[in-house]
Amino acid sequence: MLRIYGRFALRRTGQAIVVVVLAYLFTFVVISILPGDPVTSTLRNPDNGFTEDDIARIVAYYGLDQPWYVQLGSSLGRFVVGDLGVSLRSNLPVGTLVFDALGSTLSLAAAALLVAIVLAVVIAYGTQFLPPRFGQGVLRSLPSLFLSVPNFVIGLLLIHVFAFGLGLFSMIDTETPWGTFFAAVALGIPVSAQLAEVLIASLDHESRQEYVAVARSRGLRSGALFLRHLAKPSALPTVTVLALIVGELLGGALITEAIFGRVGIGTLVESAVASQDLPVLQAVVSLAAVVFVVVNLVADLAYPLLDPRVSVGPSGRPAVSASREDPAPLLREEVGIV
Amino acid sequence: MTIRTRPRRRLLGVASALTVGAILLSGCGAASTAAPSADATPKPGGDLVFLIDSLGATWIPNNSSISSYQGNIWGHLTDKLVYVDAEGALSPWIAESWDENADKTQFTLHLKEGVTFSDGTPLDAAAVVANIDIWAKGRPDEGINRIGLFPSANYQGAEAVDATTVTVSFSAPTLSFIPTLAYHGSILLSPTTLALPADQQADLTNDIGSGPFTVEKVADGDSVVLKKRDDYDWGPEAIGHDGPAYLDTITYKQVAEPSLRTASVESGQAQVAYNASPQDLDALKGEGLTVETPRYLGFVNGYALNTTVAPFDDVRVRQAVQHGIDRDEILSTVYTEDWHAAESLIQSTVPEATDRSADFAYDPDEAASLLDAAGWVKGADGVRTKDGQKLSFTLYPNPYLQASQSVDELVDQQLTTLGFEVNLETYDVPTYGQKVIGNAAVPATEITRSFVDVGTVAGVLTSQKKGDEDWFKVGTSDATLNDLATRIATATDRDARAAVADELQGYVLDQGYFVPLTQIVQRVYVQAPDVSGVTYNGLAYAYYLDAWLND
């Protein structure tokens, strides 16, 4: 059993490394097949009045006149020894740029995750214990509403009401507690929808189980019932979804940071994409891939350990022992985790 | 996992209605101060917040000084040798005076004494020589550009005669040298900064100037905070301001979303918003904000027509385009009353500009008869043809110019009624650079460029010299144009040159080589009413040396 698990863990880890390398290569290819390069675009601004000779000499300084495989080779060579190179846009070291931006994004993502979890739990709890006439239907449709309203609309609304209207935070100094809170709300609302969906589904499933009827018949109150009996089994699939949500947060941070004028990884990516700043993009994409892959890896490796009913089958994939019925894998299928 | 069954569009509509509602609500709380009275006395102190779309890319001075964004900041960190006002008049700044020899190949600059960079280094002749050298040549092998409009081709060298005297020599008459010293690329930096490698110059805190403000804090891609320099006392004479600036600090904060920039000014969280969209300006004025639309010196916005491709190889078709465009409709549809129709191929603020608007006035009947005379006949579909060929061409909106696409869409409509078939191809900056710039088959190139000296025009007309841009693809085939370009380029007398410039404007427009549209406003400033004393130079940048805040 342990040997099977070890092999499963090893394979999963190997796959994770391949994904990161592929992400790095993919970024290079995508940016390379785009027309033009950031240096030439800037120099060709007609306001500059440069001749093509002027431009060619500067482009040569950046090595952008080399064939693609030479550029890829030297960038990989640097990457392997941990040198992330220099930004083509700002001429500043990529490592410094990423490190400076990381703190802001981490605090935003953490706050947004917290907002999302609180919202999801409140909504899910409500769907179980509110009488159907008193808004249970509304609560059940909230997640799809949250998913359909674009992130930037929520952001703009929050800014206009709370920054310009009530003056709780200002657009000039965005990293204040209030500023971070409202940005986190804008980012957390769509994320909470996914969590709430899964939580509602598994609560529905669990509350149909016999033990719940037994507990209710013993006169257990809703709150206690939720905490003592429903919360734990329903949390398991939610943990899985959390891994996916890390991706959501990374993607959503890009828009949220742009709207709220925060300087983080999102805005760094945005300016790097706009200016085809390959070294910065490769660093950020690799970092994002590492985070995403590690979180999912941890979730995958932890799953068989967390839930005794899930074992690693001969295929090296978590499988359900046939004797027991378990909602989690079904849910994993449902949310598209295969 | 979630099936999105809800109609997104309706939700979006609701959301945007809510957003608009919120904006209106928050607008009610906006501070509305009365405009300051004319005799208001300046008061020292105060912090000005300037919201900008972008803080540009690198901070290497030579590579960023002419950026429309970073130029705002360089203008406060550094001084120039010569000042140019909004009408193109030159006046002393760090250079107190200058002499030139008879054939305009050698110039002597006499520097103001006692000027220092903020690191304490004197701004003396040696420092000026180091600056002129790097403007002229750059260090391209180290990634440092030269200054594009500097007359580098004829530059022979600069020399420090004594601590306050510099001589600069050229191999041919160079009337454009002195005006170039006032150009936004010609910023004076400490020799210490100039000696640094590119990646250290890219850190703004290493870039030491002699200007009224110094760098206090930089957050890459977010904000730059400038602090007043207390011992500053050498502002441009033309501004008439002695001593240091009134403002304590200026904060340039990047806010990419235009509506957020202007809403911040309305709500009193900032004093200036850069580059609002023209459609919003009237509403902002209604809110009591000031809108400044300074025009830089340079070419107007218009099309340089390629005389080697059909249908523009026929002068009558080129003239038909000139007369077929209704500039008033462009102004009233795309812009506001703050914009002006073009009167020539150069902006009216250039001293040598002459009003030639009659040569290309809107006249659809004239345009139609020109096309008839050229043998283009309207078909059943309304498109003119000749020998089985359609009267058709492609326009590429200039991505470096705001509102270019809206203007081109309108031109498309106007020319279509005349019987043209106009195709619009819109590209982003990198694609435009690859497909349009330098492509000899592009029929019409949309121009936007600033310059400080009319001599610049000589370099774009023909292909007589290396580096000439040959906008109309006439090469050296037009003897009259060759002659005009040469006479402008080699002039040694400004008054005589002005007469040549007048002749040249008439000839280029008469031949239909250039189709003027509107005078360019590249920089729009939306300002809170409590800001006073802002000046705008010939490059249309706001200058806050003499500015103060009334409470």
Side-chain angles (χ1 to χ4, degrees):
Chain A
M1 176 69 217
L2 197 63
R3 227 186 48 221
I4 297 179
Y5 180 78
R7 235 184 315 165
F8 159 73
L10 212 64
R11 246 200 24 197
R12 271 279 188 236
T13 313
Q15 283 170 346
I17 292 170
V18 169
V19 166
V20 173
V21 172
L22 282 178
Y24 183 85
L25 290 175
F26 180 74
T27 313
F28 181 89
V29 170
V30 166
I31 298 290
S32 298
I33 57 178
L34 281 176
D37 66 74
V39 177
T40 315
S41 301
T42 313
L43 295 175
R44 278 217 169 125
N45 181 341
D47 235 354
N48 278 319
F50 286 129
T51 63
E52 287 300 314
D53 285 0
D54 287 334
I55 293 173
R57 287 182 71 181
I58 300 277
V59 168
Y61 162 79
Y62 288 99
L64 291 168
D65 54 344
Q66 305 281 348
W68 66 268
Y69 47 87
V70 175
Q71 292 188 45
L72 177 60
S74 57
S75 113
L76 265 175
R78 283 198 307 264
F79 186 69
V80 169
V81 297
D83 174 7
L84 297 174
V86 172
S87 157
L88 292 176
R89 185 184 65 88
S90 65
N91 299 87
L92 297 169
V94 174
T96 318
L97 289 173
V98 172
F99 183 78
D100 287 350
L102 207 53
S104 161
T105 300
L106 283 180
S107 60
L108 172 66
L113 191 59
L114 206 65
V115 169
I117 291 172
V118 169
L119 264 177
V121 168
V122 168
I123 291 169
Y125 179 86
T127 58
Q128 298 304 313
F129 302 104
L130 270 186
R133 279 180 314 170
F134 294 111
Q136 204 192 104
V138 174
L139 279 179
R140 282 185 182 271
S141 58
L142 268 188
S144 36
L145 177 73
F146 284 175
L147 270 181
S148 3
V149 179
N151 186 320
F152 67 88
V153 172
I154 301 173
L156 285 175
L157 266 173
L158 291 171
I159 287 171
H160 279 291
V161 174
F162 294 101
F164 299 145
L166 301 174
L168 280 180
F169 65 103
S170 106
M171 295 301 296
I172 317 309
D173 187 10
T174 44
E175 307 272 332
T176 54
W178 274 124
T180 303
F181 172 74
F182 286 109
V185 170
L187 178 55
I189 283 179
V191 170
S192 73
Q194 298 203 347
L195 274 176
E197 288 277 359
V198 174
L199 207 49
I200 290 169
S202 44
L203 279 173
D204 285 352
H205 176 92
E206 293 295 333
S207 57
R208 284 197 300 270
Q209 305 296 320
E210 283 170 20
Y211 73 85
V212 177
V214 172
R216 274 189 200 274
S217 66
R218 287 189 5 228
L220 211 61
R221 286 168 174 278
S222 307
L225 179 72
F226 179 79
L227 285 176
R228 248 195 270 169
H229 291 285
L230 289 181
K232 201 180 155 206
S234 312
L236 212 66
T238 313
V239 166
T240 311
V241 178
L242 271 179
L244 275 186
I245 277 173
V246 169
E248 282 280 320
L249 286 170
L250 287 173
L254 205 152
I255 298 166
T256 313
E257 285 174 359
I259 295 278
F260 280 80
R262 298 170 63 88
V263 189
I265 297 290
T267 25
L268 190 64
V269 168
E270 190 217 12
S271 71
V273 169
S275 60
Q276 299 179 318
D277 193 348
L278 186 56
V280 171
L281 269 182
Q282 283 188 302
V284 176
V285 169
S286 312
L287 179 78
V290 167
V291 170
F292 191 69
V293 161
V294 165
V295 171
N296 274 287
L297 187 65
V298 169
D300 274 353
L301 296 181
Y303 219 81
L305 307 179
L306 275 181
D307 188 341
R309 294 174 303 174
V310 180
S311 65
V312 183
S315 65
R317 306 235 325 242
V320 190
S321 37
S323 61
R324 312 281 286 270
E325 193 200 344
D326 173 48
L330 296 176
L331 275 161
R332 288 168 64 83
E333 300 289 322
E334 245 176 83
V335 297
I337 312 172
V338 185
Chain B
M1 58 175 284
T2 313
I3 303 165
R4 300 185 184 187
T5 47
R6 296 186 162 252
R8 284 186 66 122
R9 184 163 307 185
R10 188 179 314 161
L11 263 169
L12 251 175
V14 171
S16 46
L18 279 171
T19 311
V20 170
I23 294 169
L24 289 175
L25 276 175
S26 62
C28 299
S32 57
T33 27
S37 53
D39 61 354
T41 27
K43 50 189 276 292
D47 303 297
L48 183 119
V49 177
F50 184 111
L51 303 183
I52 193 163
D53 350 7
S54 153
L55 285 165
T58 181
W59 283 104
I60 297 171
N62 264 32
N63 301 15
S64 61
S65 53
I66 71 142
S67 147
S68 195
Y69 305 118
Q70 293 155 295
N72 282 290
I73 293 147
W74 286 121
H76 292 98
L77 289 179
T78 61
D79 297 318
K80 300 184 184 76
L81 289 159
V82 176
Y83 181 78
V84 62
D85 71 9
E87 277 73 49
L90 302 173
S91 54
W93 192 348
I94 299 301
E96 275 181 330
S97 64
W98 47 88
D99 322 309
E100 36 200 41
N101 66 355
D103 60 2
K104 307 296 187 278
T105 53
Q106 197 176 64
F107 301 84
T108 307
L109 305 172
H110 303 284
L111 309 181
K112 196 173 278 181
E113 281 188 55
V115 179
T116 56
F117 293 104
S118 58
D119 61 356
T121 326
L123 203 175
D124 56 8
V128 169
V129 168
N131 276 281
I132 292 178
D133 251 342
I134 204 161
W135 300 336
K137 299 178 202 160
R139 295 207 296 266
D141 305 336
E142 297 175 46
I144 297 173
N145 310 345
R146 68 182 189 89
I147 298 298
L149 283 189
F150 193 91
S152 302
N154 306 333
Y155 177 72
Q156 285 183 315
E159 199 185 338
V161 177
D162 60 41
T164 58
T165 316
V166 176
T167 58
V168 187
S169 315
F170 292 89
S171 58
T174 311
L175 272 186
S176 65
F177 172 65
I178 297 293
T180 300
L181 300 179
Y183 181 62
H184 47 337
S186 309
I187 52 175
L188 293 162
L189 288 145
S190 164
T192 327
T193 298
L194 297 181
L196 293 173
D199 59 346
Q200 290 184 44
Q201 290 190 17
D203 178 351
L204 187 63
T205 52
N206 293 331
D207 299 330
I208 307 295
S210 60
F213 290 84
T214 57
V215 178
E216 163 127 315
K217 196 167 81 131
V218 181
D220 186 69
D222 172 57
S223 59
V224 173
V225 182
L226 306 183
K227 192 162 118 282
K228 164 164 89 179
R229 190 176 156 186
D230 291 327
D231 61 343
Y232 185 83
D233 190 16
W234 42 82
E237 277 177 26
I239 303 272
H241 177 103
D242 292 329
Y246 297 123
L247 295 169
D248 288 332
T249 66
I250 307 177
T251 300
Y252 291 90
K253 159 80 182 161
Q254 180 171 314
V255 176
E257 178 58 40
S259 67
L260 289 184
R261 290 199 296 274
T262 49
S264 299
V265 175
E266 286 176 40
S267 66
Q269 294 188 349
Q271 283 70 46
V272 186
Y274 196 49
N275 289 344
S277 125
Q279 291 85 345
D280 299 340
L281 295 181
D282 287 333
L284 292 165
K285 285 183 202 165
E287 294 272 346
L289 302 180
T290 320
V291 172
E292 297 284 357
T293 50
R295 280 175 284 167
Y296 63 46
L297 304 160
F299 291 101
V300 297
N301 173 220
Y303 307 117
L305 298 183
N306 182 343
T307 55
T308 61
V309 298
F312 298 139
D313 48 2
D314 183 335
V315 63
R316 290 167 297 191
V317 176
R318 299 198 297 264
Q319 290 165 340
V321 173
Q322 286 181 331
H323 293 299
I325 293 177
D326 182 354
R327 289 158 194 83
D328 290 342
E329 194 190 3
I330 294 176
L331 290 176
S332 60
T333 311
V334 181
Y335 297 114
T336 67
E337 59 191 10
D338 304 289
W339 272 255
H340 304 264
E343 297 176 349
S344 172
L345 63 146
I346 49 184
Q347 309 256 82
S348 305
T349 46
V350 176
E352 291 83 0
T354 43
D355 184 352
R356 296 266 171 188
S357 34
D359 297 354
F360 53 87
Y362 177 55
D363 186 347
D365 298 342
E366 171 74 4
S369 57
L370 279 162
L371 291 173
D372 291 339
W376 294 95
V377 186
K378 256 196 189 172
D381 58 353
V383 179
R384 290 174 185 261
T385 55
K386 178 183 174 181
D387 309 331
Q389 292 291 315
K390 281 184 170 178
L391 182 60
S392 145
F393 71 97
T394 304
L395 273 182
Y396 303 92
N398 187 329
Y400 292 98
L401 184 72
Q402 230 195 349
S404 170
Q405 185 166 352
S406 318
V407 171
D408 286 0
E409 281 165 1
L410 208 53
V411 168
D412 175 356
Q413 281 175 30
Q414 294 172 356
L415 293 181
T416 301
T417 55
L418 276 179
F420 278 88
E421 181 192 70
V422 184
N423 309 305
L424 282 187
E425 289 276 357
T426 308
Y427 296 130
D428 61 354
V429 165
T431 319
Y432 184 86
Q434 270 217 320
K435 296 201 168 185
V436 182
I437 294 180
N439 178 349
V442 168
T445 308
E446 194 167 348
I447 298 301
T448 151
R449 180 178 308 171
S450 63
F451 60 68
V452 284
D453 182 66
V454 77
T456 312
V457 176
V460 304
L461 303 173
T462 64
S463 67
Q464 296 179 93
K465 293 203 308 290
K466 187 177 176 297
D468 277 357
E469 292 178 46
D470 195 14
W471 276 2
F472 322 120
K473 303 287 177 289
V474 294
T476 54
S477 62
D478 184 335
T480 316
L481 200 60
N482 292 345
D483 177 54
L484 286 164
T486 309
R487 280 160 59 203
I488 287 260
T490 58
T492 55
D493 177 88
R494 283 188 180 78
D495 295 339
R497 190 178 67 162
V500 182
D502 177 38
E503 200 182 327
L504 182 142
Q505 291 166 75
Y507 183 76
V508 166
L509 293 168
D510 193 48
Q511 291 297 309
Y513 289 148
F514 191 89
V515 181
L517 296 170
T518 60
Q519 300 198 37
I520 294 193
V521 174
Q522 272 283 56
R523 315 188 223 288
V524 177
Y525 297 85
V526 176
Q527 208 172 272
D530 58 350
V531 184
S532 305
V534 185
T535 47
Y536 295 89
N537 66 5
L539 284 318
Y541 287 107
Y543 189 48
Y544 298 115
L545 171 64
D546 195 39
W548 72 93
L549 302 175
N550 313 284
D551 298 326

